[in-house]
Structures are given as C-alpha cells and as structure tokens.
C-alpha cells in the first residue's frame, strides 16, 4: 500500500427486538382472519463484515473503490408463520422464519477530465441464500431476499459543465429478478418475474443567476413504460424545476 491507498475493515452487529405487537399487545379479529402476537418470539440479529479498498489514480484523474462484503441474518422475523388455537378462534401470528446469508463484491471508478467532464462506472454482484423453515398450511413468507435481490447491478454516468450549463446522463442495468406480489388482503404472497432491464435518466440545467437555476430532468427516457418492480410498470417522466438558493 502507498499514500494513494486506503484499506478499511468494517465489522458490525445489530439486533432487532420484537415489538409490543409481536409480543401480543394487540388482537385483531375479523370475519376473514384473526391475528395476534406471542411472547416467545426471539430477537433477530444481523452481522456485517466488509473489506473496502480505495485507490487514487493519477492517469486518469479518478478514484477506484473495491469491496467484499458478507452479511448474516439469524432468526429473521416475519409477520406470519405461527398458529395459535384459542377456545373458539384460530389466530395467526408472527414467528422467526429462519436465516439469510449474503455475500458480494462492489467496484466503482469515478473521475474527471479537465474542468468540464465527469464520469463514473459502478458494478455490484450479490448472492443471497435464504434458509427458511416450513410455514403452516404452505404459507409463503412475506420476506424473500434470495429471489427478490438481483445478482447484477451496473450503472454509468457522464456529465459536462461549463459556464452556466450542466448536462448529466445516467444508465442503470439490473439483471432479472422476482418481485413479491400480495393478494387476498395480504394473506397470499406470490413471486412475479421481472426481466432484466436498462433505465436511462438525464438532466439539463441552466443557472439563470448565481442563486436561481432552471433544470429539465427525465427518468426512464429509453422507454415509455418499463417493468422494474412487481407493481405497475414505471412510466417515462419529464420534470421541470426552478430552484432558488439563498
């Protein structure tokens, strides 16, 4: 390593404690379902480990960053997964549905060319493995990191500034993945396939004065509609903004 390098080791651990509702502080009864908590649900713990390397480059004038990370979640909490049989009513309730582990790598390169140009490249790979317990009556868990986390994410940006003008363009790519879709008042959960896609965004700005800037920005410019989540398709949007700084 040299003066141009920075190496960091990061370790952290956190706990998510059950809420009073998880412990049974409230009871919900309807003609369709009944729900309550219970006092035996356990906390969920998350452990993160990461190594990050930053390197300053002279040619080109850029900063490179590379990292490797690992995450473990134990006793993941879910709003469903347990059944309680009362004198006259069967209740659904929360439970610890299992563990989830993830590891991945990230790399980015950001730089400038002269006084006018700026650019950036970034890539992320992540592999997630969920180990969930079998839920009663074949109930699908409301949390699914393994199928809803894309393995590959990539993005690039290019910008130009001179005088009062600023122009920026962004491209983002996501590999195919699945999204969670809820039905029957949230009681049923299904996976919805989402194909890989590339989204293009942009912004053009002009400084009318030192404190007033007018800009036009757009998202999803390459397509009028695009499937990005399990929700309805994302539409192309064009926005004009007048900002004032004091």
């Amino acid at each position: 390593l040299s003066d141009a390098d920075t190496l960091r080791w990061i370790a952290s651990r956190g706990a998510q404690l059950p809420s009073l509702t998880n412990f049974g502080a409230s009871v919900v009864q309807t003609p369709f379902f009944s729900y309550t908590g219970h006092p035996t649900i356990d906390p969920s713990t998350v452990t993160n480990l990461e190594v990050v390397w930053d390197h300053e480059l002279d040619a080109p004038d850029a900063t490179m960053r590379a990292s490797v990370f690992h995450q473990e979640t134990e006793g993941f909490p879910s709003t469903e997964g347990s059944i309680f049989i009362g004198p006259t009513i069967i209740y659904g309730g929360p439970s610890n549905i299992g563990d989830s582990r993830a590891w991945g790598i990230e790399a980015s390169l950001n730089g400038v060319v002269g006084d006018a140009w700026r650019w950036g490249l970034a890539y992320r790979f992540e592999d997630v493995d969920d180990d969930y317990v079998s839920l009663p009556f074949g109930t699908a868990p409301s949390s699914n990191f393994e199928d809803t986390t894309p393995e590959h994410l990539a993005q690039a940006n290019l910008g130009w500034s001179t005088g009062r003008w600023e122009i920026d363009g962004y491209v983002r790519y996501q590999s195919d993945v699945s999204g969670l879709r809820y039905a029957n008042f949230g009681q049923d959960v299904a996976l919805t396939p989402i194909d890989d896609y590339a989204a293009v965004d942009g912004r053009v700005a002009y400084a009318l004065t030192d404190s007033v800037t007018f800009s036009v920005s757009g998202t999803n410019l390459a397509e009028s509609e695009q499937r990005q989540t399990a929700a309805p398709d994302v539409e192309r949007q064009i926005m004009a903004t007048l900002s004032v700084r004091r």
Side-chain angles (χ1 to χ4, degrees):
L1 297 178
S2 66
D3 292 340
D5 299 292
T6 302
L7 189 62
R8 289 175 289 165
W9 290 267
I10 303 171
S12 61
R13 183 176 176 86
Q16 178 180 345
L17 303 179
S19 65
L20 292 177
T21 300
N22 295 145
F23 279 140
S26 64
V27 177
V28 177
Q29 293 183 3
T30 73
F32 305 101
F33 68 92
S34 298
Y35 185 90
T36 187
H38 65 96
T40 61
I41 189 169
D42 296 324
S44 173
T45 60
V46 181
T47 303
N48 290 286
L49 301 172
E50 186 174 8
V51 179
V52 184
W53 173 45
D54 292 335
H55 181 70
E56 299 292 336
L57 299 172
D58 293 329
D61 185 3
T63 300
M64 180 183 69
R65 169 170 292 184
S67 64
V68 179
F69 61 88
H70 176 75
Q71 182 183 82
E72 290 190 8
T73 302
E74 298 178 343
F76 192 84
S78 178
T79 56
E80 75 286 300
S82 58
I83 298 294
F84 313 105
I85 300 178
T88 58
I89 299 176
I90 297 177
Y91 294 93
S95 67
N96 301 101
I97 62 175
D99 307 326
S100 181
R101 293 173 176 82
W103 75 273
I105 59 174
E106 292 181 321
S108 65
L109 193 61
N110 295 280
V112 296
V113 178
D115 297 328
W117 293 92
R118 55 190 173 274
W119 56 273
L121 299 169
Y123 171 75
R124 176 188 176 100
F125 169 82
E126 184 173 4
D127 179 71
V128 181
D129 180 24
D130 292 337
D131 184 15
Y132 290 161
V133 300
S134 298
L135 301 184
F137 308 116
T139 304
S142 59
S143 300
N144 186 327
F145 298 112
E146 182 174 341
D147 295 311
T148 60
T149 301
E151 285 190 348
H152 305 281
L153 289 173
Q155 62 183 27
N157 66 277
L158 180 64
W160 173 81
S161 299
T162 184
R164 295 184 178 274
W165 287 97
E166 289 185 4
I167 301 176
D168 289 281
Y170 308 88
V171 179
R172 184 181 71 259
Y173 170 80
Q174 176 180 295
S175 61
D176 60 294
V177 72
S178 295
L180 291 179
R181 179 173 52 84
Y182 296 85
N184 297 331
F185 301 99
Q187 298 185 71
D188 295 331
V189 183
L191 289 173
T192 300
I194 302 171
D195 294 334
D196 62 328
Y197 68 87
V200 179
D201 303 334
R203 176 179 179 271
V204 178
Y206 180 76
L208 300 174
T209 68
D210 292 340
S211 58
V212 179
T213 301
F214 175 76
S215 64
V216 177
S217 58
T219 60
N220 201 41
L221 297 174
E223 300 183 40
S224 59
E225 293 184 347
Q226 190 176 64
R227 187 66 176 272
Q228 297 182 0
T229 68
D233 293 352
V234 176
E235 298 181 345
R236 178 189 295 134
Q237 295 185 355
I238 305 294
M239 296 160 286
T241 305
L242 184 67
S243 58
V244 179
R245 301 189 306 272
R246 289 187 176 181

